[in-house]
Amino acid sequence: MKSLAKSRIRAAAAAAATVALGCTALAVVPSPASAAGGPLAVQYRTSASGSTADQSEPWLKVRNTGSAAVQLSTVKVRYYFKGEAAGDAYRFACSWAVKGCANITGTFGTLASPTATADRYLEIGFTAGAGSLAPGADTGDMQLRFYRSSWQPLLQSDDYSFDGSRTAYGDWSKVTAQLGGATVWGEAPGGNGPTDPTDPTDPTDPTDPPEGAPTLFDDFNYSSHSDPGIAAHGWSVRSNSGGPGVPGATWAPENVTFATQSGNSVMNLATSTAGSGESTKQTEILTQSMKFRNGTYAARVKFNDAPVSGPDGDHLVQTFFTINDLKAPMADDYAEYDFEYLPNGGWGESGNILYTTSWETYRPDPWEAVNAHTESRQSYAGWHDLVVTIDNSAITYYIDGRLFGTHGAAYLPERGMSINFNQWLIDLAGQTSTTPRSYDQQVDYVLHVKDQVLTPAQVNARVSAYRAAGTTFQDTVPAG
């Protein structure tokens, strides 16, 4: 079972290539803001200010300048740009937002009257979960980005709505806003009133997968680890002994708790130690059934670099993964697909690192592994949208809407798996103090759609639809 697989030492991990996910922004002085009348105003800044960039990063705020509350679900904001080439596809992602990325949508459309600086637009919308804006209030940060699906560089300096000098928020009339279909802010490129273009289309998602596919969705809306709904919904909070992790550690169900944050129920996994195996308490929750195979897996997870209390430095692993049991050493029907974040290093690493790993099989003694992994050595503290898709040709990992790694057909699963979250300690060598300390990992939701490959944008739309409908749990995935 999983405990055996996770007890491995990843000796080859340090030799893999790093995937760099950052982008460079230039520090410049913001130019004066433009103003326009109406009940809404849009403020803009960019965190990718170069004339060319790997991705465009329009960060936006919508402000209510009127005297009545505004439902954000009636608001549309458009950012106009010039496509790099005919037929180019673009992808949208939300890195972080005060209103929650799950409550923000992004679609692309083409202009009826192209100009020298714009032939397309990104339209930002809001789900019902975004709520309303009181007079004088704003949405707060919406840290948005978009990029070419080929990941080729894009030229921003010829984009109508772009201004690389705006590195601080200010009113910006080259981004338009509509309220209930009427333009109330900004000016579109010449000959293109915001109501003129055709309805938005997303070239990256030309056809939404059909509804009705077998799906697991859980918003983790429970009262405690002993809530009978957890078992009724197919989950098990681990209490049995065994690996992975520090010898002598226990798995503590009581350290899996639930709370409400920003209107959503959030699951917390707490792991603690006082420097000995006997004092170490690790946490895990997993599905009781191994019925999940091809399709899309997604979760919103908060990783943490620092402990909630006590000294830092432990070799901690924070995870979201799928797995089945190893029936025999090097069995070819074993499968495992991991997101694993090490905030303080471990497995030969000295600093924070995130792995995605696809497993074909392994032998525990003597150690031999057949896997592929992608890694990034940087901090991932904070909330992240994690997506892995499995079809008949590849396993593809995304973080915050951005492609992170792709692993080939040799690592595809031969049978079903469970879905797991856990937080555990590799060893006690990272911090040798006997002072008690505790670490948290949080989970907002989990989604699996059987036999369908969804884009990260489609995942966000599915989750938003569940929440708008008040659905906190659904499992239509057949057993076996």
Side-chain angles (χ1 to χ4, degrees):
M1 295 295 289
K2 185 197 73 56
S3 61
L4 180 62
K6 286 297 190 172
S7 66
R8 62 191 180 272
I9 302 299
R10 202 182 299 261
T18 300
V19 176
L21 295 185
C23 60
T24 303
L26 304 177
V28 291
V29 179
S31 60
S34 301
L40 295 177
V42 180
Q43 295 187 327
Y44 160 80
R45 60 157 292 192
T46 181
S47 62
S49 56
S51 60
T52 60
D54 290 336
Q55 56 186 344
S56 185
E57 299 188 29
W59 292 12
L60 303 173
K61 292 182 181 181
V62 178
R63 182 165 50 95
N64 183 351
T65 58
S67 58
V70 171
Q71 291 294 323
L72 281 169
S73 60
T74 66
V75 174
K76 300 290 186 185
V77 176
R78 286 183 180 171
Y79 178 97
Y80 301 89
F81 65 100
K82 180 78 170 178
E84 315 313 308
D88 244 5
Y90 291 80
R91 297 184 184 274
F92 165 78
C94 172
S95 296
W96 185 81
V98 172
K99 290 291 184 180
C101 284
N103 295 317
I104 296 172
T105 63
T107 53
F108 295 95
T110 56
L111 293 178
S113 302
T115 71
T117 58
D119 58 10
R120 310 184 187 206
Y121 60 89
L122 167 64
E123 182 172 279
I124 303 302
F126 301 88
T127 70
S132 62
L133 286 182
D138 65 47
T139 58
D141 269 341
M142 294 187 290
Q143 298 180 8
L144 312 177
R145 51 194 171 89
F146 65 92
Y147 51 93
R148 299 171 73 181
S149 60
S150 64
W151 276 111
Q152 295 298 307
L154 52 79
L155 179 66
Q156 300 189 102
S157 57
D158 64 351
D159 291 346
Y160 176 84
S161 295
F162 172 74
D163 186 341
S165 69
R166 292 181 174 269
T167 56
Y169 278 112
D171 289 354
W172 188 231
S173 62
K174 288 190 174 183
V175 175
T176 61
Q178 293 174 267
L179 180 61
T183 304
V184 295
W185 172 266
E187 182 178 351
N192 293 278
T195 57
D196 292 341
T198 56
D199 288 339
T201 57
D202 188 345
T204 69
D205 304 322
T207 303
D208 283 338
E211 299 293 336
T215 299
L216 167 70
F217 172 73
D218 202 330
D219 215 12
F220 295 113
N221 190 15
Y222 303 108
S223 59
S224 71
H225 75 279
S226 58
D227 189 324
I230 294 177
H233 290 166
W235 295 97
S236 176
V237 183
R238 184 175 176 183
S239 60
N240 60 295
S241 62
V246 175
T250 58
W251 296 87
E254 67 274 14
N255 286 357
V256 178
T257 58
F258 302 87
T260 299
Q261 294 184 11
S262 303
N264 294 327
S265 180
V266 172
M267 177 172 65
N268 190 77
L269 308 180
T271 294
S272 60
T273 189
S276 67
E278 294 72 19
S279 68
T280 301
K281 294 185 176 181
Q282 305 177 141
T283 44
E284 180 169 17
I285 185 169
L286 63 155
T287 60
Q288 299 168 17
S289 173
M290 291 192 293
K291 64 179 181 177
F292 308 97
R293 190 174 169 183
N294 284 17
T296 299
Y297 299 82
R300 190 161 190 257
V301 177
K302 186 178 184 181
F303 298 127
N304 288 290
D305 283 351
V308 176
S309 61
D312 197 2
D314 287 293
H315 291 158
L316 186 72
V317 185
Q318 300 176 329
T319 75
F320 165 45
F321 63 102
T322 69
I323 195 171
N324 59 31
D325 54 325
L326 183 74
K327 293 184 177 297
M330 302 301 287
D332 61 6
D333 63 348
Y334 177 75
E336 180 181 350
Y337 307 97
D338 302 328
F339 288 92
E340 295 174 307
Y341 180 54
L342 283 58
N344 297 313
W347 290 328
E349 294 290 330
S350 60
N352 38 34
I353 185 168
L354 188 145
Y355 293 101
T356 61
T357 309
S358 300
W359 287 82
E360 169 58 16
T361 191
Y362 73 100
R363 178 172 55 209
D365 188 22
W367 178 252
E368 181 180 358
V370 181
N371 64 28
H373 60 270
T374 305
E375 63 198 41
S376 178
R377 292 177 177 84
Q378 65 177 67
S379 172
Y380 281 87
W383 284 105
H384 295 284
D385 294 313
L386 310 179
V387 177
V388 56
T389 65
I390 304 173
D391 59 19
N392 291 324
S393 61
I395 304 101
T396 306
Y397 296 87
Y398 299 88
I399 298 179
D400 298 328
R402 183 169 180 175
L403 177 64
F404 186 85
T406 300
H407 303 154
Y411 307 99
L412 293 173
E414 291 81 12
R415 57 187 173 94
M417 302 169 288
S418 63
I419 297 174
N420 305 51
F421 299 90
N422 67 13
Q423 184 181 222
W424 52 282
L425 297 177
I426 298 170
D427 53 43
L428 296 171
Q431 172 55 262
T432 58
S433 170
T434 58
T435 301
R437 57 267 191 191
S438 179
Y439 299 84
D440 283 353
Q441 173 188 342
Q442 295 176 317
V443 183
D444 186 12
Y445 71 84
V446 67
L447 174 74
H448 170 68
V449 181
K450 177 179 170 63
D451 295 332
Q452 286 189 359
V453 172
L454 273 62
T455 67
Q458 289 168 337
V459 166
N460 288 340
R462 291 284 179 100
V463 174
S464 296
Y466 278 120
R467 287 179 166 168
T471 302
T472 60
F473 176 80
Q474 175 181 297
D475 186 3
T476 57
V477 180

